[in-house]
């Protein structure tokens, strides 16, 4: 372990407490689910026999699936209130949970409805399936939407994600919009519980509101940003083996409102990168005329970043994320990074008020990206900086609860900012919880949307 620990820390500055709207939003979402169930309850006179119970269960799961689709898309809309006040990490977890529920409800709806119709008609499951798909209105589009949504769910499974590039996953994930669009006609055409004028109007209002959020925040706002700021690559510099920093310049960048710890989705219109949008964090505090990101060559997009030429046009979306100083609730903070996860924490290490400490996990000294900058910040602020490196035979040291408590006295009173590969982040999160750090004090970022 290499340790840099000099001088005294800056005077404590406690950030103002801000109430998160997470609980009211969750209450609202569950209230919406209850209202959807009320549609079935008020529209059902009686349930008779096995066919009636199967069909009724199929209608319930279909309604809830339709509602979950709207919630799923809404959580993808990058609404600033959700991003900054709730946190993109928590929103990403909600989105993943909503995705699992959506696919599960969809599968249950398909099975239950076909089984109920087959029992009612006295037909086989196969015959009823063919009849429903080919003869019922809008069912061919709904079937295509079902197939697309299942494909999105499969590629989002963690075992599959580990074997595919971020670029592939992101492109498939965008098909969620197409799946929801294809299935909507089926919902209003065959949804017996949406036949009333009020219910149909409410369903249209729900979907049109979600569509408006996506159109505004994921299309129009980025168009306005890029027309206004005209971003271009200024320079590219190697930081470590396979790690490069890209400096981007533009007009009036201070009006972006970007903060240390946030990220943008970047599309470089050169080096064969125009077709891919990838999230990279700011690796230095944003300045009025320049932004800097640092990327490691892990996928097609990041590997080609080193080939970018000065003057290349850049298309950006953001800023996103809430891994910022506003999340802090204490004047003492511990930043824990691994690999290229150092990028947002390097910016926070320079700007976070109070008494920050940084712990950086890497394979070896040559893999410590931005090392010179980190040590300069540590010296200037008098902030503790620790490197945790592999042993001489490649063994990885474990950040155990006991070691963390010993290295950082009073750890449960710290805010912890965490960024790194998912397995590392998960292990460290569990170690921090075992060391007594409350969940509300552990902040991490996710690029899942």
């Amino acid at each position: 372990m290499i340790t840099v620990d000099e001088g005294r820390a800056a005077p404590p500055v406690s950030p103002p407490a801000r109430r998160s709207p997470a609980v009211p939003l969750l209450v609202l979402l569950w209230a919406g689910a209850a209202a959807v169930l009320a549609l079935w309850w008020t529209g059902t006179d009686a349930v008779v026999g096995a066919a009636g119970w199967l069909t009724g269960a199929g209608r319930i799961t279909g309604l809830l699936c339709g509602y979950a689709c709207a919630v799923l898309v809404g959580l993808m809309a990058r609404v600033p209130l959700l991003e900054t006040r709730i946190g993109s990490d928590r929103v990403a977890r909600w989105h993943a949970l909503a995705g699992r529920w959506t696919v599960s409800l969809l599968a249950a709806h398909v099975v239950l409805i076909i089984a109920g119709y087959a029992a009612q008609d006295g037909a086989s499951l196969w015959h009823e399936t063919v009849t429903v798909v080919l003869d019922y209105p809008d069912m061919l589009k709904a079937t295509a939407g079902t197939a697309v949504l299942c494909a999105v769910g499969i590629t989002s499974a963690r075992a599959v994600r580990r074997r595919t590039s971020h670029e592939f996953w992101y492109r498939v994930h965008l098909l969620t919009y197409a799946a929801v669009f294809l299935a909507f006609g089926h919902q209003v055409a065959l949804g017996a519980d949406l036949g009333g004028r009020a219910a149909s109007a409410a369903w249209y209002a729900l979907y049109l509101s979600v569509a408006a959020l996506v159109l505004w925040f994921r299309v129009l706002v980025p168009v306005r940003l890029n027309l206004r700021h005209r971003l271009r690559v200024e320079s590219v510099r190697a930081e470590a083996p396979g790690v490069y920093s890209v400096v981007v310049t533009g007009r009036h960048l201070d009006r972006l409102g970007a903060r240390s710890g946030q990220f943008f989705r970047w599309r470089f219109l050169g080096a064969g990168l125009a077709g891919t949008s990838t999230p990279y964090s700011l690796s230095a505090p944003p300045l009025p005329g320049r932004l800097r990101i640092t990327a490691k060559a892990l996928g097609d997009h990041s590997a080609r970043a080193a080939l970018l030429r000065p003057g290349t046009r850049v298309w950006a979306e953001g800023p996103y994320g809430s891994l910022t100083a506003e999340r802090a609730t204490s004047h003492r903070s511990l930043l824990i990074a691994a690999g290229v996860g150092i990028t947002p924490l390097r910016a926070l290490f320079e700007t976070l008020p109070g008494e920050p400490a940084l712990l950086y996990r890497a394979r070896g000294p040559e893999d410590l990206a931005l090392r010179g900058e980190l040590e300069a910040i540590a010296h200037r602020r008098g902030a503790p900086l620790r490197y945790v490196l592999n042993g001489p035979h490649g063994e990885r040291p474990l950040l155990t609860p006991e070691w963390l408590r010993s290295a950082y006295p009073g750890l449960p009173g710290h805010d912890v900012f965490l960024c790194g590969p998912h397995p590392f982040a998960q292990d460290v999160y569990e170690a921090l919880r075992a060391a007594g750090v409350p969940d509300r004090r552990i902040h991490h970022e996710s690029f899942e949307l």
Side-chain angles (χ1 to χ4, degrees):
M1 179 186 296
I2 303 172
T3 302
V4 177
D5 189 355
E6 303 179 38
R8 300 182 62 183
V13 177
S14 297
R18 301 177 67 187
R19 294 189 61 183
S20 167
V23 172
L25 180 59
L26 285 175
V27 170
L28 180 63
L29 293 177
W30 282 111
V36 167
L37 288 175
L39 287 175
W40 175 83
W41 181 264
T42 57
T44 302
D45 296 327
V47 179
V48 180
W53 282 105
L54 288 169
T55 304
R59 286 166 55 195
I60 291 173
T61 52
L63 284 168
L64 289 174
C65 180
Y67 175 71
C69 282
V71 172
L72 189 70
V73 174
L75 292 175
M76 295 171 66
R78 292 293 187 192
V79 179
L81 175 65
L82 303 183
E83 290 289 308
T84 59
R85 295 294 304 281
I86 294 178
S88 59
D89 54 334
R90 182 180 292 181
V91 173
R93 291 197 298 271
W94 289 358
H95 173 75
L97 182 61
R100 289 191 287 271
W101 274 105
T102 301
V103 174
S104 299
L105 288 167
L106 177 61
H109 169 66
V110 171
V111 172
L112 290 168
I113 280 291
I114 290 179
Y117 287 177
Q120 180 177 305
D121 297 339
S124 67
L125 291 176
W126 173 251
H127 180 271
E128 195 66 37
T129 300
V130 173
T131 300
V132 168
V133 171
L134 296 182
D135 296 344
Y136 282 48
D138 288 305
M139 274 306 303
L140 286 175
K141 290 192 295 184
T143 302
T146 298
V148 170
L149 201 57
C150 289
V152 173
I154 291 171
T155 57
S156 297
R158 188 168 297 168
V160 179
R161 283 289 312 275
R162 286 197 294 263
R163 292 168 172 80
T164 58
S165 67
H166 176 84
E167 293 88 348
F168 174 80
W169 170 84
Y170 181 69
R171 288 168 179 168
V172 172
H173 211 67
L174 288 178
L175 293 176
T176 302
Y177 299 122
V180 173
F181 173 78
L182 289 169
F184 181 75
H186 157 69
Q187 295 175 40
V188 295
L190 294 180
D193 303 290
L194 302 178
R197 181 175 298 177
S200 178
W203 208 252
Y204 270 101
L206 171 66
Y207 272 79
L208 288 175
S209 297
V210 169
L213 290 176
V214 172
L215 177 64
W216 181 258
F217 291 112
R218 300 215 72 159
V219 179
L220 299 181
V221 169
V223 167
R224 178 175 176 267
L225 180 155
N226 288 279
L227 291 177
R228 170 186 287 185
H229 298 290
R230 299 181 183 275
L231 304 174
R232 293 184 181 273
V233 173
E234 180 185 80
S235 61
V236 179
R237 184 180 70 185
E239 302 285 2
V243 179
Y244 297 89
S245 285
V246 180
V247 175
V248 175
T249 59
R251 304 188 305 178
H252 311 299
L253 298 187
D254 53 314
R255 298 182 185 176
L256 284 170
R259 291 166 289 172
S260 295
Q262 291 189 304
F263 68 94
F264 288 75
R265 296 200 68 91
W266 303 91
R267 190 187 302 273
F268 298 102
L269 307 182
L273 298 175
T276 304
S277 173
T278 302
Y280 296 122
S281 295
L282 299 176
S283 61
L287 297 175
R290 67 200 299 262
L291 304 172
R292 191 187 73 177
I293 59 174
T294 302
K296 186 171 184 178
L298 297 174
D300 294 340
H301 193 279
S302 53
R304 293 181 181 179
L307 305 177
L308 291 170
R309 296 179 178 274
T312 299
R313 289 293 301 273
V314 181
W315 184 274
E317 301 172 32
Y320 298 136
S322 62
L323 197 71
T324 63
E326 284 74 12
R327 295 288 292 275
T329 60
S330 168
H331 68 275
R332 293 184 299 172
S333 300
L334 172 60
L335 315 179
I336 304 179
V340 79
I342 190 61
T343 55
L345 301 192
R346 178 261 178 255
L348 277 177
F349 193 41
E350 181 175 349
T351 59
L352 195 66
E355 302 176 16
L358 175 62
L359 174 62
Y360 187 5
R361 168 78 174 83
R363 287 176 296 184
E366 69 281 359
D367 296 303
L368 294 170
L370 309 173
R371 178 176 184 175
E373 296 180 16
L374 296 173
E375 294 178 359
I377 295 168
H379 179 77
R380 184 169 65 253
R381 300 197 63 177
L385 169 63
R386 285 187 169 91
Y387 302 139
V388 178
L389 309 177
N390 287 357
H393 302 293
E395 59 272 18
R396 297 182 177 182
L398 298 177
L399 302 181
T400 63
E402 297 74 22
W403 185 90
L404 288 168
R405 282 196 299 262
S406 174
Y408 300 98
L411 179 61
H414 287 63
D415 279 290
V416 181
F417 294 81
L418 175 62
C419 192
H422 180 80
F424 167 85
Q426 187 64 37
D427 291 344
V428 173
Y429 173 83
E430 293 173 358
L432 290 167
R433 295 291 287 121
V437 182
D439 181 73
R440 69 180 183 277
R441 290 184 179 271
I442 303 174
H443 317 295
H444 59 97
E445 194 61 275
S446 174
F447 298 153
E448 298 298 306
L449 299 183

